[in-house]
């Protein structure tokens, strides 16, 4: 979860005085990183997963389950073991794991101790390593505690849901439902929470539509909201319109950042490959969100959505009324159409198949920063991407880190980069390291079992390999990707909804297929088999996820489908490993009710 730095975090009243300083030096730091790293070439694709856990305590006598606030103590023990084993590399298995803090005091983040390669033998290790992480963490649990991979704790913010119990009266979040003690005590997290509230000018307002069953009143007005509380000025917001009828209302960052997810980070061979992965995986983000959807319950109520994404988006939405377009611009610089936690707004690849029409959103970016980047050799697409990120303010500034050497530090750049939480993240190499250009795939929800999480991780890695090796073309207008993100939230979207997706995804010359296969995209111009031009609107259509993953037969043209590529991967796996190790492949076909001959 972003930067974790020791020091003195500035409250918003002081931090906002230094935001231009951080922005300006952040750009200088990015330029320094770019110049040093633009020619990096690595031998192979490396990757790793991040699994987020919650610690739950069971009260067997009263048949109750609560979130345990001991996770922070458990993390300290895990980190201590990790540090000891780094000093003594012969000590044991803990070297295969790494542990990091998360926003919630009940949360842990576990990763493999070192990156995986892209060989098939590496893929087989994924589930084993996830099981190892769970075993290591469970050694530090009390007898009544259990480690769970659950996207959203169903009763978070309803009744007594914490062990130990604390009243929701904290001055940081000022929430009506959750106490400040639920946050990780590291200075970054309460400061981030308070500064979002102060910058926004109100508490965050999260509203998820209620599921109306036979006994749900219409309109549904939540009777558990303490509308008469008068402890803080923000207490009246719920009654003044923040809490919408027929919705589940939440008012704190923990409702979003307290959700767990599965993320995959790739190290590409070079910057161009990283930019290509960023773009094409972005189009798959809503598809994988729907495939992994696992969060239908909030504050004890069943919602009419299946995913967490919009909850998190609202939970960190620091935009002021002016930036949300609710008031004319006076104090602020931009009207911004999204939270800083949302889907990406622009493609950035240097591929010829990326047409200007695909970047069809009205991108909001800092024109002065963009001009500076381009004057210093950054191409227009990447300059737009970085200057778009930098329309945001830094939220947590440590006093001790205000003055830095921009040639050896990237803290100011990462301050803003790491608090743009989008479906994909494009990550320059850290200074003074042997790490290359990376991209982070961020949309998936966590699953109950290590087997399921390993399956989704392996699927995304194989997908990335296919994208790169076969030079797939997954581009659709980015506005359609945004629309797909909304569709992915709908109940049972994986089976009942249709998503925008490209009709023909493989470049004919890359696979040496005959002329009856797919559109030629060599010069950035789509043509059919007769060489005539195809409009952008004819390149994509609505498909079910079944059709997207397994291919849709076109009446006029024969395309190479995902199913063909996936069957090829099946054959390779079958040759290399025993049938029982094909579980990752079998799981996806089970999810989609498809029988594949292995």
């Amino acid at each position: 979860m972003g930067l974790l730095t020791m020091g003195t975090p500035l409250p918003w009243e002081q931090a906002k005085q230094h935001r231009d300083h951080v922005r300006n030096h952040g750009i200088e730091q990015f330029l320094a990183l770019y110049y040093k790293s633009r020619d990096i070439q690595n031998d192979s694709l490396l990757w790793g997963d991040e699994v987020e856990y919650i610690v739950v305590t069971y009260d067997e006598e009263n048949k109750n389950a609560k979130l345990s606030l001991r996770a922070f103590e458990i993390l300290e023990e895990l980190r201590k073991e990790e540090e000891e084993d780094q000093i003594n590399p012969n000590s044991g298995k803990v070297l295969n794991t790494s542990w990091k803090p998360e926003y919630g005091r009940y949360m842990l983040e576990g990763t493999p101790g070192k990156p995986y390669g892209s060989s098939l033998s590496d893929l087989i290790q994924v589930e084993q390593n996830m099981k190892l992480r769970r075993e290591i963490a469970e050694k530090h649990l009390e007898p009544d505690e259990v480690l769970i991979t659950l996207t959203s704790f169903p009763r978070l913010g309803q009744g007594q849901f914490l062990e130990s119990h604390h009243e929701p009266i904290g001055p940081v979040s000022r929430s009506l439902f959750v106490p400040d003690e639920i946050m990780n005590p590291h200075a970054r997290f309460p400061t981030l929470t308070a500064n979002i509230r102060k910058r926004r000018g109100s508490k965050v307002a999260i509203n998820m539509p209620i599921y109306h069953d036979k006994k749900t009143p219409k309109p549904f007005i939540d009777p558990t909201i303490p509308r008469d509380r008068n402890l803080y000025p923000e207490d009246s917001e719920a009654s003044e319109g923040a809490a919408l009828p027929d919705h589940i209302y939440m008012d704190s960052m923990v409702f979003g950042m307290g959700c767990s997810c599965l993320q995959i980070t790739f190290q590409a061979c070079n910057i161009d490959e990283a930019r290509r992965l960023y773009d094409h995986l972005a189009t798959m983000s809503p598809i994988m969100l729907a495939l992994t959807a696992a969060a239908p319950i909030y504050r004890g109520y069943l919602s009419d959505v299946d995913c967490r994404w919009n909850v998190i988006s609202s939970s960190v939405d620091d935009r002021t009324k002016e930036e949300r377009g609710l008031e004319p611009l006076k104090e602020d610089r931009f009207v911004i159409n999204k939270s800083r936690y949302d889907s990406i707004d622009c493609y950035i690849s240097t591929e010829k198949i990326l047409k200007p029409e695909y970047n069809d959103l009205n991108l909001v970016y800092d024109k002065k920063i963009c001009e500076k980047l381009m004057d210093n050799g950054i191409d227009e697409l990447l300059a737009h991407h970085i200057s778009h990120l930098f329309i945001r303010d830094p939220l947590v500034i440590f006093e001790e880190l205000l003055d830095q050497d921009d040639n050896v530090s990237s803290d100011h750049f990462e301050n803003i980069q790491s608090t743009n939480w989008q479906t994909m993240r494009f990550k320059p190499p850290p200074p003074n390291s042997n790490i290359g250009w990376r991209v982070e795939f961020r949309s998936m929800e966590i699953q109950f079992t290590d087997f399921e999480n390993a399956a989704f991780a392996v699927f995304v890695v194989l997908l990335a390999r296919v994208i790169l090796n076969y030079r797939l073309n997954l581009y659709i207008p980015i506005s359609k990707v945004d629309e797909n993100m909304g569709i992915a939230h709908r109940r049972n979207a994986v089976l009942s909804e249709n998503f925008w997706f490209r009709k023909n995804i493989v470049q004919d010359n890359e696979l040496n297929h005959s002329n009856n296969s797919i559109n030629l995209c060599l010069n950035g111009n789509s043509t059919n088999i007769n060489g005539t031009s195809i409009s952008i609107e004819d390149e994509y259509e609505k498909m079910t996820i079944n059709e997207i993953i397994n291919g849709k037969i076109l009446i006029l043209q024969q395309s190479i489908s995902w199913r063909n590529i996936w069957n090829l991967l099946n054959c390779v796996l079958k040759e290399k490993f025993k049938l029982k190790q094909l579980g990752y492949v079998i799981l996806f076909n089970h999810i989609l009710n498809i029988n594949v001959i292995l």
Side-chain angles (χ1 to χ4, degrees):
M1 149 74 73
L3 293 168
L4 289 186
T5 304
M6 299 305 295
T8 308
L10 298 177
W12 181 244
E13 295 79 9
Q14 298 177 37
K16 66 182 181 181
Q17 300 174 22
H18 302 286
R19 51 191 171 182
D20 287 335
H21 173 88
V22 171
R23 256 195 296 266
N24 293 335
H25 285 274
I27 292 300
E28 294 294 340
Q29 291 171 5
F30 170 75
L31 288 170
L33 290 173
Y34 179 82
Y35 292 142
K36 292 176 183 177
S37 308
R38 58 185 171 183
D39 297 324
I40 284 180
Q41 297 287 336
N42 297 304
D43 293 332
S44 61
L45 187 74
L46 299 177
W47 68 280
D49 66 86
E50 301 174 17
V51 174
E52 294 172 355
Y53 308 86
I54 64 174
V55 180
V56 173
T57 179
Y58 286 123
D59 180 352
E60 292 289 351
E61 182 178 348
N62 297 306
K63 302 300 180 183
N64 194 11
K66 299 179 182 180
L67 291 169
S68 171
L69 297 182
R70 278 199 344 103
F72 185 74
E73 301 171 24
I74 296 169
L75 176 66
E76 289 183 329
E77 293 299 317
L78 291 168
R79 294 294 296 270
K80 182 179 178 181
E81 289 182 2
E82 187 179 334
E83 292 169 2
E84 290 174 352
D85 289 325
Q86 287 174 346
I87 298 173
N88 179 16
N90 298 319
S91 62
K93 295 189 294 186
V94 181
L95 282 174
N96 293 326
T97 67
S98 181
W99 299 93
K100 299 172 180 62
E102 262 299 332
Y103 180 87
R105 193 166 185 161
Y106 54 88
M107 302 174 72
L108 299 171
E109 179 187 301
T111 68
K114 59 181 180 179
Y116 298 114
S118 54
S119 69
L120 293 172
S121 59
D122 281 310
L123 300 184
I124 298 302
Q125 296 176 26
V126 177
E127 184 184 3
Q128 299 170 5
N129 189 272
M130 288 183 180
K131 288 182 176 179
L132 176 63
R133 283 175 244 170
R134 193 182 294 268
E135 290 171 4
I136 290 172
E138 285 176 343
K139 293 177 182 177
H140 299 278
L141 300 180
E142 299 291 346
D144 61 346
E145 291 176 334
V146 64
L147 197 69
I148 297 179
T149 43
L150 178 65
T151 301
S152 177
F153 188 70
R155 292 194 305 106
L156 176 64
Q158 192 67 269
Q160 294 195 13
F161 59 92
L162 287 180
E163 185 61 45
S164 55
H165 176 71
H166 296 271
E167 289 295 321
I169 56 174
V172 175
S173 68
R174 303 188 177 183
S175 171
L176 298 172
F177 312 110
V178 294
D180 287 350
E181 287 82 2
I182 201 169
M183 287 180 279
N184 187 312
H186 186 282
R188 167 182 165 84
F189 299 103
T191 303
L192 183 61
T193 303
N195 284 359
I196 286 176
R197 172 175 54 79
K198 293 175 181 177
R199 188 190 186 283
R200 176 184 170 92
S202 66
K203 290 188 298 184
V204 295
I206 309 163
N207 286 279
M208 301 303 285
I210 192 77
Y211 175 74
H212 281 278
D213 61 17
K214 292 181 180 180
K215 295 188 177 181
T216 307
K218 292 185 179 181
F220 169 76
I221 306 297
D222 187 354
T224 67
I225 298 174
R227 300 175 187 271
D228 58 348
R229 194 179 85 168
N230 190 26
L231 186 61
Y232 299 107
E234 296 88 349
D235 287 350
S236 61
E237 291 173 3
S239 298
E240 293 171 353
L244 301 179
D246 289 323
H247 284 74
I248 306 163
Y249 172 63
M250 296 161 276
D251 65 349
S252 175
M253 185 173 170
V254 73
F255 287 106
M257 286 302 193
C259 291
S260 297
C261 66
L262 171 67
Q263 298 176 351
I264 311 295
T265 298
F266 297 94
Q267 177 183 272
C269 295
N270 53 49
I271 185 174
D272 291 334
E273 185 174 278
R275 293 170 71 168
R276 189 184 315 144
L277 268 182
Y278 178 92
D279 283 7
H280 295 292
L281 286 178
T283 66
M284 289 298 297
S285 293
I287 308 305
M288 297 309 298
L289 178 61
L291 269 170
T292 59
I297 304 174
Y298 302 95
R299 286 194 53 244
Y301 291 114
L302 185 62
S303 74
D304 202 28
V305 299
D306 282 353
C307 301
R308 83 201 187 284
W309 191 268
N310 285 346
V311 176
I312 314 180
S313 179
S314 296
S315 76
V316 293
D317 189 357
D318 69 328
R319 292 174 300 161
T320 66
K321 287 185 177 181
E322 293 180 17
E323 290 172 328
R324 283 176 276 155
L326 302 177
E327 295 179 354
L329 284 177
K330 294 180 180 179
E331 301 296 327
D332 295 302
R333 303 185 300 155
F334 308 104
V335 174
I336 305 173
N337 62 349
K338 292 182 182 179
S339 165
R340 60 199 301 155
Y341 197 118
D342 217 306
S343 52
I344 70 164
D345 286 320
C346 61
Y347 296 121
I348 62 173
S349 175
T350 55
E351 294 178 286
K352 291 182 179 180
I353 59 173
L354 172 55
K355 304 175 186 179
E357 294 91 334
Y358 297 145
N359 276 324
D360 64 337
L361 295 181
N362 184 17
L363 188 70
V364 180
Y365 62 96
D366 189 309
K367 290 181 172 55
K368 290 184 178 179
I369 288 177
C370 184
E371 182 179 350
K372 178 172 183 175
L373 290 169
M374 293 179 67
D375 287 345
N376 282 273
I378 307 298
D379 63 88
E380 185 175 14
L381 284 174
L382 188 55
H384 279 170
H385 168 70
I386 298 298
S387 58
H388 170 63
L389 299 182
F390 272 63
I391 64 175
R392 311 288 182 174
D393 282 344
L395 292 172
V396 181
I397 299 175
F398 287 90
E399 184 176 7
E400 294 83 354
L401 297 179
L402 274 172
D403 297 317
Q404 301 176 14
D405 184 340
D406 295 334
N407 290 311
V408 298
S409 174
S410 63
D411 282 352
H412 286 324
F413 171 73
E414 288 295 341
N415 192 325
I416 294 176
Q417 154 95 339
S418 68
T419 53
N420 274 270
W421 298 281
Q422 298 177 333
T423 46
M424 296 294 301
R425 184 176 282 155
F426 177 71
K427 305 172 75 169
N432 306 313
S433 75
N434 59 357
I435 298 174
W437 293 89
R438 295 151 296 151
V439 294
E440 189 175 359
F441 188 77
R442 299 174 46 81
S443 67
M444 291 190 292
E445 307 209 327
I446 202 72
Q447 308 298 298
F448 279 126
T449 68
D450 297 321
F451 172 77
E452 292 169 289
N453 289 317
F456 281 114
V458 168
F459 179 81
V460 173
V461 173
L462 291 175
L463 172 62
R465 288 290 304 276
V466 170
I467 288 171
L468 294 175
N469 292 346
Y470 289 88
R471 300 189 70 84
L472 299 189
N473 180 0
L474 303 185
Y475 282 119
I476 59 175
I478 207 159
S479 62
K480 297 301 181 184
V481 179
D482 276 1
E483 189 174 333
N484 282 348
M485 286 296 291
I487 295 170
H489 281 75
R490 296 175 188 168
R491 212 164 12 96
N492 206 29
V494 66
L495 296 178
S496 62
E497 295 293 341
N498 294 315
F499 295 77
W500 294 108
F501 204 76
R502 190 175 182 86
K503 297 177 185 178
N504 297 312
I505 63 174
V506 186
Q507 298 182 58
D508 192 47
N509 66 311
E510 295 295 336
L511 290 179
N512 296 317
H513 283 276
S514 59
N515 287 335
N516 70 339
S517 57
I518 59 169
N519 305 353
L520 292 174
C521 299
L522 297 177
N523 299 311
N525 297 313
S526 295
T527 59
N528 62 18
I529 57 177
N530 298 316
T532 57
S533 216
I534 296 176
S535 69
I536 293 292
E537 290 75 16
D538 289 333
E539 293 179 357
Y540 55 90
E541 66 180 359
K542 283 284 188 77
M543 302 183 194
T544 66
I545 288 186
N546 188 348
E547 292 168 335
I548 291 170
I549 299 295
N550 291 283
K552 182 175 183 180
I553 298 175
L554 301 181
I555 296 174
L556 299 178
Q557 301 180 45
Q558 178 183 352
S559 70
I560 298 169
S561 70
W562 285 108
R563 188 180 182 89
N564 298 131
I565 296 171
W566 195 233
N567 283 343
L568 175 62
L569 291 169
N570 289 350
C571 294
V572 174
L573 284 167
K574 186 176 180 181
E575 289 180 6
K576 296 291 184 182
F577 298 100
K578 296 178 182 179
L579 186 63
K580 66 179 182 179
Q581 293 169 319
L582 292 175
Y584 308 134
V585 179
I586 295 169
L587 173 67
F588 278 93
N589 291 289
H590 174 69
I591 290 172
L592 298 169
N593 286 322
I594 295 160
N595 294 316
V596 173
I597 299 174
L598 299 177

